[in-house]
Amino acid sequence: MTAEFDRIFFEEHDAESIRYYPVNPEKMLTREDSVECYSSCLMYDLEHGNTIYPPIGMIIPKEYAENNKFRITHLFSKASGGGDVIVKEVKKGRYACLFHKGDMQSHKAVLQRLIISIMDQKSTIDSDIYVYDQMNCVLMEKKGSYVAKYEIKII
């Protein structure tokens, strides 16, 4: 992956279906608890005959992010046929994006900076925040550093 960290850029996205899984936000605060949440979601899929397609990531609801709360409420993966999972459409449109590498505290700060930047540009947040971490959060280095891509639909 070649990316410039902490630089906001914009992408156009087509609509896409994702499967999402509710998680306890209190269980997404530490590496150990995050591993448990990811494992539960993966086991659920395996037990129900679902195939897991990357990317895998996390969802922070728009309402939380706009109020400076870094609360992960769902995990997601690309949708495929079969199984009894909840499917959601990620809307087509323009997305503000940012790659960041750091610990959980720095991720909270960079998300807030991204939101402030969107508002400073007189844009409106039109989606939840999609955090494409592709399991880096679970596999983070001992120092607690991981890479994530943030995507927020704007209008």
Side-chain angles (χ1 to χ4, degrees):
M1 173 174 76
T2 303
E4 185 178 332
F5 295 117
D6 301 328
R7 183 184 62 82
I8 298 169
F9 60 98
F10 301 92
E11 294 180 339
E12 292 293 327
H13 287 241
D14 290 329
E16 177 181 34
S17 294
I18 59 170
R19 295 189 315 202
Y20 69 107
Y21 314 84
V23 294
N24 178 347
E26 302 305 318
K27 290 267 190 173
M28 294 300 292
L29 300 175
T30 67
R31 179 187 181 278
E32 293 76 18
D33 288 341
S34 295
V35 168
E36 182 183 325
C37 288
Y38 274 106
S39 297
S40 295
C41 292
L42 296 173
M43 288 307 298
Y44 178 89
D45 270 345
L46 291 173
E47 290 169 1
H48 290 86
N50 298 323
T51 304
I52 300 153
Y53 294 100
I56 296 173
M58 303 172 284
I59 297 174
I60 299 170
K62 171 185 170 183
E63 304 78 41
Y64 288 134
E66 288 178 328
N67 289 297
N68 199 23
K69 293 181 182 174
F70 192 93
R71 288 182 61 87
I72 298 161
T73 61
H74 294 82
L75 299 177
F76 72 89
S77 67
K78 186 172 181 172
S80 63
D84 58 345
V85 295
I86 304 167
V87 176
K88 174 180 180 171
E89 183 176 295
V90 177
K91 299 176 192 176
K92 176 181 179 173
R94 186 168 193 231
Y95 283 75
C97 306
L98 179 137
F99 283 97
H100 179 70
K101 181 177 182 179
D103 61 16
M104 187 65 81
Q105 289 304 322
S106 72
H107 278 271
K108 292 176 185 179
V110 82
L111 176 58
Q112 192 58 33
R113 185 175 68 84
L114 177 58
I115 290 168
I116 289 168
S117 177
I118 289 168
M119 292 176 179
D120 285 348
Q121 294 179 23
K122 306 294 185 230
S123 294
T124 302
I125 295 173
D126 191 38
S127 73
D128 291 331
I129 290 69
Y130 299 97
V131 184
Y132 293 85
D133 76 334
Q134 299 171 5
M135 304 278 290
N136 284 317
C137 183
V138 174
L139 302 173
M140 69 176 73
E141 301 166 6
K142 291 188 180 195
K143 295 177 186 173
S145 182
Y146 66 99
V147 175
K149 180 183 183 188
Y150 292 84
E151 295 186 357
I152 305 172
K153 184 176 183 303
I154 58 172
I155 53 174

